[in-house]
């Protein structure tokens, strides 16, 4: 039982890391294509062939000045995007892949139910 849980944990961990790396490269690809379309240099100058562009964007987002609404509840305002990210990453575990150890019969229904939770995080943020 313990070995199964460890395999499940590492399978899900590899899946999450893989998804985050794929998203970074898709963003890089999109920015390069838009740079070529608009005839500008784009992300080709940051790091080796633009690899560090996504990391630079992430750092820029974290150091930007935050505006806080005056009469708002701080906890939902800050943690709603975090919960939304957790829901999205959690949904990647349902997708049937050859490296995944999760066997889930009602994956489609579970996927639709969890995507409906995204509305609640949007309401909490607003």
């Amino acid at each position: 039982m313990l070995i199964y849980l460890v395999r499940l944990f590492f399978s899900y961990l590899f899946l999450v890391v893989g998804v985050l790396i794929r998203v970074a490269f898709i963003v890089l690809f999109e920015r390069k294509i838009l740079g070529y379309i608009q005839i500008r240099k784009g992300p080709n100058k940051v790091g080796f062939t633009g690899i560090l562009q996504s990391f630079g964007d992430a750092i820029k987002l974290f150091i930007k000045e935050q505006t806080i609404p005056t009469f708002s509840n701080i906890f939902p305002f800050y943690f709603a995007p975090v919960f939304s990210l957790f829901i999205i990453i959690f949904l990647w575990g349902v997708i049937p892949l050859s490296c995944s150890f999760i066997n889930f019969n009602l994956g489609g229904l579970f996927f639709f139910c969890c995507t409906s939770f995204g509305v609640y995080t949007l309401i909490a943020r607003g």
Side-chain angles (χ1 to χ4, degrees):
M1 182 67 179
L2 181 64
I3 293 173
Y4 176 75
L5 291 176
V6 169
R7 287 178 63 189
L8 183 67
F9 173 74
F10 281 113
S11 170
Y12 194 68
L13 182 70
F14 289 142
L15 180 72
V16 168
V17 169
V19 166
L20 292 176
I21 290 173
R22 286 182 199 129
V23 167
F25 278 110
I26 288 172
V27 167
L28 174 68
F29 177 71
E30 177 189 15
R31 290 179 65 107
K32 280 189 174 226
I33 296 298
L34 289 176
Y36 289 131
I37 289 172
Q38 298 169 359
I39 310 172
R40 59 182 175 86
K41 292 182 180 172
N44 297 330
K45 298 295 180 188
V46 181
F48 178 69
T49 67
I51 297 292
L52 299 176
Q53 181 69 40
S54 296
F55 296 111
D57 289 341
I59 291 170
K60 181 183 74 170
L61 284 174
F62 281 118
I63 63 172
K64 285 177 75 173
E65 183 180 348
Q66 296 255 340
T67 57
I68 301 170
T70 309
F71 299 108
S72 68
N73 194 352
I74 300 298
F75 181 76
F77 183 76
Y78 278 121
F79 289 108
V82 175
F83 293 141
S84 178
L85 178 68
F86 283 145
I87 290 171
I88 292 168
I89 290 176
F90 188 65
L91 286 174
W92 277 92
V94 182
I95 297 174
L97 299 171
S98 62
C99 65
S100 179
F101 294 110
I102 299 173
N103 186 7
F104 203 51
N105 293 332
L106 299 174
L109 182 64
F110 180 75
F111 180 81
F112 287 125
C113 290
C114 284
T115 52
S116 66
F117 287 137
V119 175
Y120 299 119
T121 59
L122 183 66
I123 292 171
R125 180 69 180 190

